[in-house]
Amino acid sequence: MFDPALTPPEAARWARRAGLALPADRHAAVSATADHIHSVVAVLRELNFGDTPPAPAYRVAAAKETHDAAV
């Protein structure tokens, strides 16, 4: 799936749509940040978490641990 990069004018348009005031000098920085986030999320989507238990399983296991000050 090819997703073209978010251009600064598109970043401004999406900001306006969301009701955000985005100064013109921030358009390029916002579009670059959004593109970076998109690339990181794309990598995460490719990971296979098939046998990984959900997060609550780890919280329950951590709560059962006993901690002592022994080194």
Side-chain angles (χ1 to χ4, degrees), residues 17-67:
R17 242 183 116 161
L20 301 172
L22 185 61
D25 63 333
R26 301 292 299 150
H27 295 179
V30 169
S31 66
T33 302
D35 286 336
H36 176 70
I37 292 169
H38 186 266
S39 68
V40 170
V41 170
V43 171
L44 293 175
R45 285 186 177 145
E46 295 175 7
L47 297 176
N48 180 7
F49 293 107
D51 293 332
T52 306
Y58 293 105
R59 283 191 221 118
V60 170
K64 292 180 182 177
E65 289 181 8
T66 57
H67 299 281

